[in-house]
Amino acid sequence: MPDAATQPAPQALLGSRPATPRPAAAKRLAWLDALRGIAALCVVFDHLTYSVLQPVRNTVYQWFDPGQYGVFVFFLVSGYIVPASLERKGSVRSFWVSRVFRLYPPYLFAVGAMIVLWASGIGSLSGMNSDAVTSSFADVFMLQSVLWAPTVPNVVWSLAYEMVFYLMLTALFLGGVHRSSGRYALTFGVAAVVLGGILNPGTLSYSLLSPGIVVAITDALILTGLVLALAGRGRTRIAGAALAAATGLLVVAFNSGYAASWESFTIFALMFTGTVLYRAENGEYPWRRALPVAIVVFGIVLVAALWHVSPEARSWVAIRKGCNSLEAAGLTFAVAMLCRNKMMPRPLAWLGLVSYSLYLLHPVLIEIYDSVPWTQNENFVPTELLMTAIFLLVLLVCCGLTYRFIEAPMQRMGRRVARRLDVRFGEDIPRQPTAAEEDMPMVPR
């Protein structure tokens, strides 16, 4: 969702296994763009059909949840490409600079648009205006959905999981244990089954502390950890990265306000499954192990979904469409990987390029659409199809503009800032342990 699908350069990190050069190593992975484009359109369909084409929605949702499917695909893609972004240069500092310039400018633009609409009497801020201070601090690391703060726009709940995944990757990379992706995928899958029905959402904010205190503590610990990880040396930066990652993971596990605990663990299991497949494709992990791990993880999370689905949602239709969505996401990713060396349709690749804007801006346009009085009436299906086509056209034009004038310039600025920091402070490429060292037990030094 928020990542540019760039193929990792064929250079081995210091102390890591040598990588085999690939002719297309520097080219965009168009198949990942295509996946993100498809996923973004499914999420748009999920939210837009509350307002239009409701008979179509009712039929589709008897068997399949497009929104859930799209989010699952996004998480698999993030798990695949984000480690490449971190490990390509091996610089934690450059990675976080790129994340900031990639994620925040479009996000702040979308939030600003929602505020303008609200001030104009269109739409709402989902309660954000009732406690603006706490809500604003919850937004600092995009953790609103796990800090029981309003999510504006409503789709940004998923960015909390992206952010915690980045924190975990940073800690694992600095600790030199980032290549054990299969273990992490299986661990989170098992946690979805074992802990999914035990941990209660909102434990920190409503059982132990107040929401404002939880937000303040979370921000302070993550900020401290990131400062140490980016500016520290040796074990200090490892400890800082571990502090930030542990804080994010604990908040997700014990305090998620959007997803149940088993769903949170499932999300991370899917992300690390994507990482396993990336490592297999990059020659770091044998396919004979990667494929069984991916299959087992999907089997485990399906068990978690069947076991822990809430009693009020425990119906055959709900279970069927949830399982179908998860299975379809895995199958889609598998088919796309099989076609990864083929030419992708340019419209789909372009959709992937603007998918982050598509994801953030469609709720804004839906607010405008719903404010038009005559759209509230049930219309003839051909008319609604025409309205949907117009909506999508306007949305795609807006996304093209935001990518052209916000996303792309900010990404270029991020690269310039990273280069200047390298010149000012030196390159930030910590030594990574060799493969033999990674397999050795941890001993005091």
Side-chain angles (χ1 to χ4, degrees):
M1 182 167 38
D3 299 290
T6 49
Q7 175 77 358
Q11 61 185 44
L13 297 177
L14 182 60
S16 65
R17 297 184 181 91
T20 303
R22 301 177 187 275
K27 295 181 180 178
R28 287 186 61 85
L29 296 178
W31 66 279
L32 289 175
D33 282 333
L35 278 178
R36 282 206 302 270
I38 293 170
L41 286 179
C42 287
V43 174
V44 173
F45 175 87
D46 178 43
H47 294 138
L48 181 60
T49 51
Y50 282 109
S51 303
V52 69
L53 296 176
Q54 291 186 2
V56 177
R57 177 186 179 87
N58 294 337
T59 300
V60 170
Y61 276 75
Q62 290 294 313
W63 299 92
F64 180 70
D65 187 331
Q68 204 172 53
Y69 161 83
V71 170
F72 287 151
V73 171
F74 272 131
F75 285 134
L76 283 166
V77 170
S78 290
Y80 187 98
I81 199 61
V82 171
S85 178
L86 172 59
E87 297 167 20
R88 185 171 61 251
K89 282 187 62 177
S91 172
V92 173
R93 184 175 62 218
S94 294
F95 171 75
W96 277 99
V97 169
S98 72
R99 294 299 90 192
V100 169
F101 281 87
R102 177 73 173 95
L103 294 176
Y104 282 90
Y107 166 69
L108 293 175
F109 176 80
V111 172
M114 294 293 289
I115 292 174
V116 169
L117 290 181
W118 167 76
S120 303
I122 300 174
S124 71
L125 294 179
S126 303
M128 183 178 180
N129 52 308
S130 63
D131 191 354
V133 174
T134 298
S135 299
S136 298
F137 278 101
D139 289 357
V140 169
F141 294 108
M142 298 184 172
L143 298 176
Q144 311 95 309
S145 62
V146 296
L147 292 174
W148 287 80
T151 53
V152 178
N154 62 324
V155 294
V156 299
W157 69 268
S158 64
L159 295 182
Y161 295 87
E162 295 271 353
M163 187 64 70
V164 174
F165 184 62
Y166 301 161
L167 294 172
M168 287 193 288
L169 286 180
T170 302
L172 295 172
F173 179 75
L174 289 176
V177 291
H178 54 291
R179 284 196 289 262
S180 301
S181 306
R183 298 176 187 175
Y184 306 134
L186 291 168
T187 298
F188 279 111
V190 171
V193 175
V194 176
L195 300 178
I198 298 175
L199 304 179
N200 295 317
T203 298
L204 298 179
S205 290
Y206 291 98
S207 297
L208 299 177
L209 301 168
S210 68
I213 292 177
V214 173
V215 169
I217 293 175
T218 300
D219 282 356
L221 291 178
I222 291 180
L223 179 61
T224 300
L226 280 177
V227 169
L228 293 175
L230 297 175
R233 292 290 184 271
R235 293 185 177 181
T236 299
R237 68 185 317 201
I238 296 175
L243 172 64
T247 301
L249 188 56
L250 286 173
V251 171
V252 167
F254 289 95
N255 209 59
S256 176
Y258 194 93
S261 296
W262 70 268
E263 292 174 308
S264 296
F265 291 125
T266 292
I267 287 169
F268 292 128
L270 293 178
M271 284 182 157
F272 278 109
T273 299
T275 308
V276 169
L277 298 175
Y278 153 70
R279 298 204 183 285
E281 172 66 11
N282 208 41
E284 302 174 18
Y285 201 81
W287 280 107
R288 67 178 184 276
R289 291 172 57 191
L291 292 178
V293 166
I295 293 171
V296 170
V297 169
F298 268 86
I300 292 174
V301 297
L302 280 171
V303 170
L306 292 170
W307 191 2
H308 296 304
V309 65
S310 61
E312 57 272 17
R314 194 181 295 278
S315 68
W316 171 241
V317 172
I319 293 173
R320 178 178 61 197
K321 71 180 182 182
C323 292
N324 287 347
S325 302
L326 181 59
E327 292 167 355
L331 182 61
T332 302
F333 197 88
V335 171
M337 281 206 74
L338 291 174
C339 300
R340 62 191 179 276
N341 295 321
K342 299 183 182 297
M343 291 292 295
M344 291 290 126
R346 295 188 68 177
L348 276 182
W350 182 83
L351 277 176
L353 194 66
V354 302
S355 60
Y356 188 38
S357 286
L358 195 64
Y359 194 73
L360 290 175
L361 294 185
H362 78 269
V364 180
L365 291 186
I366 289 175
E367 294 279 12
I368 298 174
Y369 179 89
D370 287 342
S371 70
V372 179
W374 56 269
T375 63
Q376 306 303 311
N377 301 322
E378 188 171 339
N379 293 288
F380 185 50
V381 170
T383 304
E384 292 199 333
L385 286 172
L386 176 62
M387 293 160 57
T388 302
I390 295 173
F391 177 91
L392 290 175
L393 178 61
V394 173
L395 174 61
L396 292 176
V397 169
C398 291
C399 292
L401 292 173
T402 54
Y403 180 82
R404 172 67 177 82
F405 294 105
I406 298 177
E407 288 194 71
M410 289 297 100
Q411 291 176 46
R412 290 195 294 269
M413 183 180 294
R415 289 190 287 270
R416 290 197 297 269
V417 170
R419 287 194 295 269
R420 290 175 182 174
L421 290 174
D422 283 345
V423 171
R424 175 66 178 83
F425 299 104
E427 289 193 357
D428 171 38
I429 304 180
R431 177 190 178 275
Q432 297 299 311
T434 63
E437 290 173 333
E438 276 199 358
D439 294 334
M440 292 174 61
M442 296 295 291
V443 294
R445 296 185 179 181

